[in-house]
Amino acid sequence: MISLARFTTRTRVVAAVLGTSLAGGVALAAGALATGPAPSATAAKAPGVTAQDLLRIAEGQIGVEENDRGGGTKFHRWYMESQRARETVERDGGNVRAYANAPWCAMFVSWVGEQAGIRPTVGWDAYTVTYAQWFEANDRWGGKATPGAVVFFDWKRGDSLYGIDHVGLVEEDNGDGTITTIEGNTGNGKVERRVRPKAEVVGYGYPRYAA
């Protein structure tokens, strides 16, 4: 059984928004891979989409801003209408409407993958922890920053997947201990380009791209 102390603040917030008990949320974190974010990333065929194609879509969303309740974006609306939202409600409890104002960094990355036409290899979820677990379970997880990688952060600089607070997309490894990213649900409530220290990174998920 996973200790409640290892359950992240962000996941606690999402669980509370959706009306899920912490005990149920912990069970979710432990068992979610049975109904993971997408078909196997390993099994998916290499798409005709490059990392730069994906990043151009993400870049085009810079400046999109949440409402005063922390939601209301196109990413929320898309996720609420998706099959994945129904699956996660069945998994976690609560109701689909609760996603309207839920933390949305993972929804943003998922939306970008959908728009690029490569959701089966980018994955989709509203939870940072289960999103990272899916990459790890499909042998698409590692410690190297590459353009187009899905990057998972722990603001306390831990190395456990259960400590993940936030997710975004790697735009560039700056070669100085930092990476440039494109992220939704930043501290400013927007999609923004950010420079982050690698010390805050737990790991990277690697979608399949065209060479």
Side-chain angles (χ1 to χ4, degrees):
M1 185 67 177
I2 299 166
S3 166
L4 290 179
R6 297 174 66 189
F7 206 49
T8 69
T9 300
R10 179 170 295 276
T11 307
R12 287 177 186 271
V13 170
V14 176
V17 168
L18 294 176
T20 309
S21 71
L22 285 178
V26 172
L28 144 71
L33 293 176
T35 55
S40 168
T42 303
K45 293 182 179 179
V49 175
T50 67
Q52 291 306 315
D53 291 334
L54 184 95
L55 290 169
R56 276 193 290 271
I57 293 170
E59 183 179 31
Q61 304 309 306
I62 290 175
V64 173
E65 188 171 7
E66 65 188 32
N67 61 26
D68 58 5
R69 295 179 300 281
T73 70
K74 67 177 77 175
F75 319 117
H76 291 85
R77 291 190 294 273
W78 167 77
Y79 195 82
M80 290 169 66
E81 293 171 0
S82 72
Q83 174 188 346
R84 187 60 185 158
R86 294 188 294 275
E87 292 172 352
T88 47
V89 164
E90 182 176 351
R91 181 187 72 185
D92 308 339
N95 62 77
V96 170
R97 292 187 303 277
Y99 285 109
N101 298 307
W104 52 280
C105 55
M107 292 188 234
F108 167 69
V109 173
S110 301
W111 181 92
V112 173
E114 174 82 353
Q115 299 305 304
I118 56 171
R119 176 179 54 74
T121 184
V122 174
W124 57 346
D125 211 299
Y127 294 96
T128 55
V129 172
T130 52
Y131 206 166
Q133 286 177 319
W134 177 74
F135 279 111
E136 184 180 57
N138 284 290
D139 297 320
R140 304 296 295 175
W141 180 259
K144 182 178 180 180
T146 59
V150 181
V151 55
F152 295 87
F153 298 98
D154 177 356
W155 306 139
K156 294 182 179 179
R157 304 192 174 196
D159 59 4
S160 169
L161 270 63
Y162 296 105
I164 290 170
D165 295 304
H166 186 60
V167 62
L169 292 164
V170 176
E171 192 170 37
E172 184 179 5
D173 185 337
N174 300 319
D176 61 357
T178 68
I179 53 175
T180 300
T181 63
I182 301 175
E183 307 166 17
N185 195 30
T186 63
N188 295 324
K190 299 179 181 180
V191 178
E192 294 185 310
R193 179 177 279 116
R194 289 292 187 94
V195 176
R196 302 282 195 189
K198 288 184 179 180
E200 294 178 340
V201 174
V202 177
Y204 304 88
Y206 303 114
R208 289 186 179 274
Y209 294 112

